[in-house]
Amino acid sequence: ASAGPDTMRSHACRLVRPPPGSPGRPLVHFGSPDVTNTTTLLLSGDGDTLYVGARDSVLALDVSRDDAISLTHRLDWSPSEKDLEQCGLVSFQADCPNFIRVLQFLNSSHLYACGTFAFSPRCSYIVCSTDSTTLMSLKSEEGRGRCPYDPYQRNTAITVDGELYTGTVADYRGNRPVISRHLGEGSRVDLKLDDSLGWLEDPTFIGSTFIPDEEKIYFFFSEVGREYDFIEKFIVSRVSQICTSDVGGQRTLQKRWTTFAKAQLLCQADGELPYNLIQDIDNLPPAEGAAADDTLFYGVFTSQWSVNSGRSAVCSFSLADIRAVFSGNYKVLNRDSLQWSTRVQEKVANPGECGLHNASDNALRFVKENFLADDSVRPAARGLTLVSTEQNYSKVVVQRVQAANLRLYTVLFLLSDSGFLHKTVLLQDGVHIIEEVQVFESPQPTSSLKLSVPKATVYVGTSDGVVKLPTANCSFYWTCAQCVLARDPFCAWDPAGRECVRVSGVQTALRQDVDGGNVEEACLSASLTLRTRSGPGELVSVSLNEVVRLHCPAMSRLSRQLWERPNSRLSADLYLRLEDGGLMFVATPATLGHYLCRSAENGYQQTMAIYLVRQKSSPVAQTPTSFSWFTRRLVPTQTVAEPGPGPRLLSSEGVVPHQADVKQGHAGPTPSTRGNQGTPRQPQRNLSLWTDGEPLLAPRGPCYLKELVVVSVLLVLCFSVLVTLVLYVVRLRVRTRTAPLGGSAGRDTDRRTPVDQEALSGNKVSSRRNGQVVHGAHGRESACNGTLSGSNGHLPNIPI
């Protein structure tokens, strides 16, 4: 499947990311303190043995088991003390060991290995036994032109019919790049490039591929583009070719390639700067029965321009387009100005054509000077396959997979410098990144990637060791919805076994939708209420006025999280939704209670987290209670209390999303619930969530014991004060009614005469004393201008 021109705009990054060491993506690691720089990998034909070129050693690893990597044999191959001492005079001591950079099969019983060997490259024949338990070195020979001097220089090597074809540098300073052939026998002489005209311009070799139908080997590298007359050196990516039947010219180009030609690989979107630095390449053979022209090359590219800094792109190139470019016109080199031109000239010979070693001297001189194709090789479908702004991809391997619907899909495994492996499927409407696996924790300076199609395994070689992981682990998807939403062509849902299984052969009953990921269509007949994993229930104890943050794991980066509360609306004034899908709020009596988070993707919703937020001082209830709000969305079949000490999370084997939740567009509480929040629907069955014999998420109201005591004491005090005031007022009124206004009290009352007492006890009795009128007790006013005195001549004792 090839992506269209707008693929870079429409690719979807689902990126399910299992934590390192989780069963979702089991990683098998091999490493040892005395084994480093395990970056050159070679896989045996049966896939049971992995040969590794490391520092000062060649290893044979048994990888036949799925859960282990074991060392079967180690061949030590290190420089002598004298070699290290001489190397230390011209280079850093850390670069002087023997770093194995070439490891190839010569035949079924021999390997050929080359290493830097203290900046003096050496090669050796290695005998490997049939059971791969023994490695034995036969002889050592000079490796100049077959292996780089510097361990940091990149190179490429491939063997065809027992002969070694390499792309590397042939001198200590790295100024003589060569593409050469070695180990020829009889008339098969060793060949290399004629560097008199600069056939290569400071190249960085990436990879090489043999195409049997053409008997050609293609080399991929980047170099300085001399055809561009810029102030700054412009780096271009190249593909070059040579024929394996080439034996050099008879007089012209003796022991030199007569079939060498090169062309530019252009990984560029319309209107944008090109991604001109190739990082890695892998070829995808044509499907069974298809022509060799359908062979595709997938390359990872970066850019030298700062505007594209930190971005990487993936482009695919077809063998048919490469052939067409090499069959076209070639640029002409002006020997005086050393400038390339594109003027059309008469072809004396076809550069890159096999069999030119028998051509005339005039023809060989023509191909010697015209080796740069005029046209560039553009991406297949004229569009970029993928552009990443987050990951700097460095390695790629590709595989064609047959899905359950018998359609073929292309799957890419992309390794980034930061240690993540992205599994990607190419679709008609774009690119879908299925998952992300963290292979190593810290960035590695060098790494390699190897794919074993028969064993369905990916191997990653790093500076610290070798990591092995399966191309797919379908058991990680534990529901039909997750299995379909993954859109993984390796995996499909088996309704009979109620599990996500690996696709193998013709299995028409499997449920899968790689192109659309439509859960409703794929899983409706398969029943959504099937085997599930334990739910992520959690109890959160907080203090009042404490900031609470609830996390909600997403099904993928394409999903969105939805938070709900029973009989309540999440107001924006009280709750803050975080970018990672979490929920933040301040703990108050109004915000305590149950919370549920659901992840929605492609019209399907799944419960991801359940929380009960309660106050720390709240006592835990001793009997389980049910809550109906959650069971409206979960169909429980069994409540399981797992034995063992310590608190446990929700154990809900059989608790699955309700079928109603699968409908497109469903989010949050149902309309009936919103309209009648006080009377939620009754559940089909009570659901109790337990921890150590106690209900974990049973709804329990917050405790106000301390507040109740304080309020009660204040209420009693207020009531006492009120009673006291009432009694005082009543007593005061009684005394006011029985005592004469302005009269004396106490002992002066006994001194009044009977006439005075009778006058005071009357209703309206007035008397004139000293010319003033004095009213009785019920009078409205008294004359206070005169002097009041008792009948006995004394001043009355009038209280104030």
Side-chain angles (χ1 to χ4, degrees):
S2 300
D6 297 330
T7 298
M8 60 174 293
R9 310 297 181 194
S10 60
H11 76 274
C13 301
R14 190 168 193 269
L15 286 186
V16 175
R17 182 183 297 180
S22 70
R25 261 291 182 240
L27 302 181
V28 181
H29 181 267
F30 169 81
S32 177
D34 58 344
V35 176
T36 58
N37 296 94
T38 52
T39 56
T40 304
L41 306 180
L42 179 65
L43 195 62
S44 63
D46 57 6
D48 290 338
T49 304
L50 181 68
Y51 297 98
V52 180
R55 171 177 168 172
D56 293 333
S57 61
V58 177
L59 312 176
L61 303 179
D62 181 12
V63 293
S64 58
R65 295 176 53 189
D66 294 337
D67 57 347
I69 300 177
S70 58
L71 176 64
T72 58
H73 192 79
R74 172 176 178 174
L75 175 64
D76 292 325
W77 185 23
S78 59
S80 63
E81 292 295 336
K82 182 179 180 181
D83 294 331
L84 294 176
E85 182 180 353
Q86 293 178 353
C87 174
L89 298 177
V90 295
S91 181
F92 294 104
Q93 193 70 30
D95 300 335
C96 291
N98 185 22
F99 296 91
I100 309 301
R101 301 300 302 273
V102 175
L103 190 61
Q104 292 290 320
F105 284 109
L106 287 181
N107 50 50
S108 59
S109 60
H110 288 78
L111 300 176
Y112 193 75
C114 299
T116 59
F117 208 83
F119 274 77
S120 179
R122 304 289 295 177
C123 296
S124 177
Y125 295 88
I126 300 176
V127 179
C128 55
S129 60
T130 56
D131 57 358
S132 303
T133 58
T134 303
L135 295 177
M136 182 176 61
S137 177
L138 289 180
K139 65 176 182 178
S140 180
E141 59 187 15
E142 185 182 2
R144 183 174 60 180
R146 310 176 191 185
C147 178
Y149 288 74
D150 192 335
Y152 298 103
Q153 288 178 335
R154 300 193 64 174
N155 69 301
T156 181
I158 188 173
T159 56
V160 178
D161 296 331
E163 295 178 319
L164 179 68
Y165 297 82
T166 62
T168 184
V169 292
D171 67 332
Y172 170 79
R173 297 183 180 273
N175 296 326
R176 291 182 55 197
V178 292
I179 293 177
S180 54
R181 183 178 67 195
H182 306 273
L183 308 180
E185 297 180 357
S187 61
R188 302 280 297 179
V189 297
D190 292 348
L191 297 180
K192 61 180 181 179
L193 291 178
D194 187 341
D195 54 1
S196 60
L197 290 177
W199 284 6
L200 297 174
E201 297 287 349
D202 192 18
T204 299
F205 292 99
I206 300 301
S208 51
T209 301
F210 173 59
I211 305 298
D213 294 343
E214 292 186 311
E215 295 185 350
K216 288 183 179 181
I217 296 178
Y218 291 95
F219 290 87
F220 299 88
F221 56 92
S222 60
E223 66 172 358
V224 178
R226 295 295 184 185
E227 67 270 29
Y228 298 100
D229 189 14
F230 295 158
I231 298 177
E232 183 180 359
K233 288 184 179 181
F234 179 50
I235 308 298
V236 296
S237 296
R238 303 282 197 198
V239 54
S240 67
Q241 66 157 37
I242 54 98
C243 294
T244 57
S245 60
D246 198 346
V247 293
Q250 296 179 358
R251 289 177 298 273
T252 303
L253 294 179
Q254 288 184 357
K255 295 185 179 181
R256 300 293 188 270
W257 295 109
T258 63
T259 56
F260 174 80
K262 66 180 181 181
Q264 181 180 356
L265 290 175
L266 191 59
C267 182
Q268 181 181 17
D270 294 338
E272 296 186 3
L273 292 174
Y275 293 87
N276 56 328
L277 302 178
I278 186 171
Q279 302 296 322
D280 195 24
I281 194 79
D282 192 28
N283 70 300
L284 181 65
E288 185 177 356
D293 283 349
D294 292 339
T295 301
L296 291 175
F297 299 90
Y298 286 88
V300 174
F301 295 81
T302 57
S303 177
Q304 76 176 103
W305 313 108
S306 58
V307 66
N308 288 335
S309 178
R311 304 176 67 182
S312 59
V314 176
C315 285
S316 63
F317 306 93
S318 67
L319 181 59
D321 292 339
I322 295 177
R323 283 178 173 177
V325 170
F326 282 132
S327 300
N329 295 325
Y330 282 77
K331 296 182 184 295
V332 179
L333 179 64
N334 188 324
R335 293 188 177 184
D336 297 332
S337 62
L338 296 179
Q339 298 293 321
W340 293 90
S341 63
T342 58
R343 74 173 186 271
V344 179
Q345 59 179 346
E346 181 182 357
K347 276 189 176 182
V348 180
N350 294 321
E353 183 180 3
C354 296
L356 291 176
H357 54 277
N358 293 323
S360 63
D361 291 344
N362 187 30
L364 292 180
R365 281 193 295 269
F366 180 84
V367 299
K368 178 180 178 179
E369 297 177 359
N370 301 271
F371 53 86
L372 179 59
D374 184 37
D375 200 3
S376 299
V377 183
R378 298 183 179 273
R382 300 299 181 265
L384 277 65
T385 302
L386 169 66
V387 173
S388 174
T389 59
E390 299 179 357
Q391 298 291 339
N392 186 18
Y393 295 127
S394 58
K395 299 293 178 181
V396 59
V397 291
V398 58
Q399 178 181 358
R400 183 176 285 109
V401 183
Q402 187 179 52
N405 58 4
L406 303 183
R407 290 185 55 187
L408 296 177
Y409 294 89
T410 300
V411 177
L412 303 178
F413 295 91
L414 298 164
L415 182 65
S416 68
D417 289 337
S418 57
F420 292 99
L421 183 68
H422 285 184
K423 179 180 174 182
T424 307
V425 59
L426 307 185
L427 306 175
Q428 293 294 338
D429 58 348
V431 177
H432 180 72
I433 302 180
I434 300 172
E435 63 179 348
E436 177 182 74
V437 182
Q438 185 173 358
V439 180
F440 41 89
E441 296 181 359
S442 59
Q444 300 287 334
T446 56
S447 59
S448 58
L449 198 62
K450 199 74 173 179
L451 173 65
S452 174
V453 176
K455 297 294 184 179
T457 304
V458 177
Y459 300 94
V460 182
T462 69
S463 299
D464 299 330
V466 178
V467 178
K468 169 186 173 181
L469 68 158
T471 56
N473 186 16
C474 303
S475 61
F476 178 70
Y477 309 113
W478 44 278
T479 63
C480 179
Q482 287 191 352
C483 191
V484 172
L485 286 174
R487 301 169 72 176
D488 190 340
F490 289 97
C491 302
W493 183 260
D494 182 12
R498 298 185 178 183
E499 60 181 345
C500 192
V501 298
R502 193 179 189 92
V503 177
S504 60
V506 181
Q507 294 173 289
T508 57
L510 297 181
R511 309 296 181 182
Q512 188 187 61
D513 187 2
V514 179
D515 293 298
N518 193 319
V519 177
E520 189 171 0
E521 293 183 2
C523 294
L524 186 59
S525 58
S527 177
L528 291 176
T529 56
L530 299 176
R531 180 178 62 89
T532 64
R533 180 178 301 176
S534 296
E538 185 176 348
L539 179 65
V540 180
S541 298
V542 298
S543 301
L544 292 179
N545 299 323
E546 178 184 346
V547 177
V548 182
R549 180 171 181 173
L550 302 180
H551 299 275
C552 181
M555 287 192 295
S556 73
R557 290 179 59 176
L558 295 180
S559 61
R560 58 190 180 95
Q561 289 94 325
L562 306 174
W563 285 94
E564 302 176 20
R565 286 198 67 189
N567 306 326
S568 178
R569 184 177 64 89
L570 299 182
S571 172
D573 298 335
L574 300 178
Y575 298 93
L576 176 63
R577 299 178 185 269
L578 306 177
E579 294 183 357
D580 61 356
L583 188 68
M584 181 181 292
F585 56 91
V586 177
T588 64
T591 58
L592 298 177
H594 291 98
Y595 291 85
L596 179 140
C597 178
R598 302 168 67 81
S599 183
E601 178 181 351
N602 207 17
Y604 172 75
Q605 294 189 22
Q606 177 183 341
T607 300
M608 304 300 296
I610 303 174
Y611 295 97
L612 172 60
V613 180
R614 70 173 189 181
Q615 195 174 348
K616 286 184 178 180
S617 59
S618 173
V620 180
Q622 299 300 322
T623 57
T625 55
S626 63
F627 54 97
S628 60
W629 180 75
F630 291 115
T631 55
R632 288 188 289 107
R633 294 159 175 81
L634 303 177
V635 183
T637 59
Q638 184 179 3
T639 300
V640 180
E642 299 181 359
R648 293 181 297 277
L649 298 181
L650 169 63
S651 176
S652 57
E653 186 69 24
V655 179
V656 296
H658 195 277
Q659 289 188 1
D661 297 339
V662 187
K663 294 182 179 180
Q664 182 76 20
H666 174 77
T670 59
S672 61
T673 305
R674 294 173 181 168
N676 188 13
Q677 295 182 353
T679 58
R681 294 165 52 186
Q682 294 299 324
Q684 296 180 2
R685 186 177 300 182
N686 293 339
L687 175 61
S688 300
L689 310 176
W690 295 83
T691 172
D692 288 338
E694 297 176 352
L696 176 62
L697 295 183
R700 293 180 291 271
C703 178
Y704 301 107
L705 183 60
K706 293 182 178 180
E707 291 82 353
L708 182 61
V709 172
V710 174
V711 172
S712 300
V713 173
L714 292 177
L715 186 62
V716 171
L717 292 177
C718 294
F719 184 75
S720 301
V721 173
L722 182 62
V723 171
T724 304
L725 291 177
V726 171
L727 292 177
Y728 177 77
V729 172
V730 171
R731 182 171 176 268
L732 189 60
R733 282 195 172 187
V734 171
R735 292 185 58 186
T736 305
R737 291 179 179 176
T738 57
L741 184 63
S744 60
R747 61 179 183 273
D748 291 338
T749 306
D750 301 330
R751 298 177 182 176
R752 295 191 184 107
T753 61
V755 176
D756 294 335
Q757 294 182 0
E758 181 180 358
L760 289 174
S761 62
N763 289 334
K764 291 183 179 181
V765 180
S766 61
S767 61
R768 294 180 180 269
R769 295 177 183 174
N770 298 329
Q772 301 293 330
V773 178
V774 181
H775 295 278
H778 298 281
R780 292 186 179 180
E781 60 182 10
S782 301
C784 301
N785 296 330
T787 302
L788 298 178
S789 63
S791 60
N792 54 1
H794 296 283
L795 277 175
N797 187 9
I798 301 175
I800 299 175

